[in-house]
Amino acid sequence: KVQTADARVAELEARFAAKDQEFRETKAHYDELRHRIKNDLQGLTFLLAVQARAASQPEYCGRCISRLSSATALHSILDNERSDVVSMASYLAALSDTIMKSFGDWITIETMVGPNVNFDHRRAQCVGLIYAEAAMNTLKHAFSSDVAGKIKLQLRRFGDGFEMTVSDDGGGLDPDTT
């Protein structure tokens, strides 16, 4: 059976339109799943934060909270930027926001990231986990009984590498009790 060029083009256009529609439906499903995962991670982070406040040893929940916070923030940034490169300014600000929401309004976090600090997904995730762990240690040791305080995060280029500083205005550790 011989097809005319017009008939072949029409057939190919119809197949392309069907595949395009299939792609759009799959992408919409994928986007909905990512949104649900992000919401679930945020919900779990909040529930762990509530549990940590009520627990006699809240530090046991701290590591889980920091890792979930980091994953939640990274999912948000990857969803919004649609890129293989993660803007650390956006990611660390989102992570700080997640940590503040998890622990109530008694803590504020100032996030300062140097210009054009962008990492690949894996490196961004590692830096986020380190920051989240440092923030959790600050919450545990620097501020007693939910006393209001401020954490400052700074990430900047330093020579050929990077430097991250996490500081706070809390009471610190008493050397006699450590």
Side-chain angles (χ1 to χ4, degrees):
K1 180 177 171 182
V2 177
Q3 285 185 323
T4 65
D6 289 341
R8 180 71 177 143
V9 167
E11 177 189 341
L12 290 174
E13 285 176 346
R15 287 176 54 196
F16 176 77
K19 289 294 183 185
D20 187 54
Q21 180 61 31
E22 182 182 330
F23 170 76
R24 290 176 191 273
E25 290 170 3
T26 301
K27 184 179 179 314
H29 182 68
Y30 173 78
D31 289 344
E32 177 63 25
L33 286 175
R34 286 196 57 102
H35 181 73
R36 287 181 188 181
I37 289 169
K38 186 176 76 169
N39 285 345
D40 288 347
L41 289 171
Q42 287 174 330
L44 287 170
T45 302
F46 177 75
L47 290 173
L48 281 171
V50 169
Q51 182 67 36
R53 287 186 202 133
S56 60
Q57 295 179 315
E59 62 273 5
Y60 291 125
C61 297
R63 285 182 172 257
C64 292
I65 293 168
S66 67
R67 291 191 175 145
L68 280 172
S69 296
S70 179
T72 302
L74 187 57
H75 272 275
S76 294
I77 295 306
L78 291 174
D79 282 349
N80 292 336
E81 294 187 4
R82 301 277 188 209
S83 171
D84 292 337
V85 177
V86 176
S87 162
M88 293 307 290
S90 299
Y91 173 42
L92 293 174
L95 182 52
S96 294
D97 189 51
T98 301
I99 292 169
M100 285 187 295
K101 286 178 182 174
S102 296
F103 287 93
D105 58 3
W106 61 274
I107 189 75
T108 59
I109 302 176
E110 181 181 343
T111 307
M112 299 169 289
V113 178
N116 300 320
V117 177
N118 303 304
F119 294 153
D120 62 76
H121 173 267
R122 288 231 184 260
R123 182 182 261 182
Q125 186 175 32
C126 289
V127 170
L129 285 172
I130 292 167
Y131 164 56
E133 292 286 330
M136 295 306 298
N137 283 340
T138 298
L139 292 169
K140 176 182 172 185
H141 297 295
F143 306 109
S144 60
S145 304
D146 295 348
V147 172
K150 184 176 192 176
I151 297 173
K152 289 184 182 180
L153 163 69
Q154 182 178 19
L155 178 64
R156 65 184 181 105
R157 290 188 188 280
F158 189 75
D160 292 337
F162 297 90
E163 177 184 68
M164 181 168 55
T165 306
V166 179
S167 60
D168 63 77
D169 64 357
L173 294 174
D174 181 358
D176 295 332
T177 62
T178 58

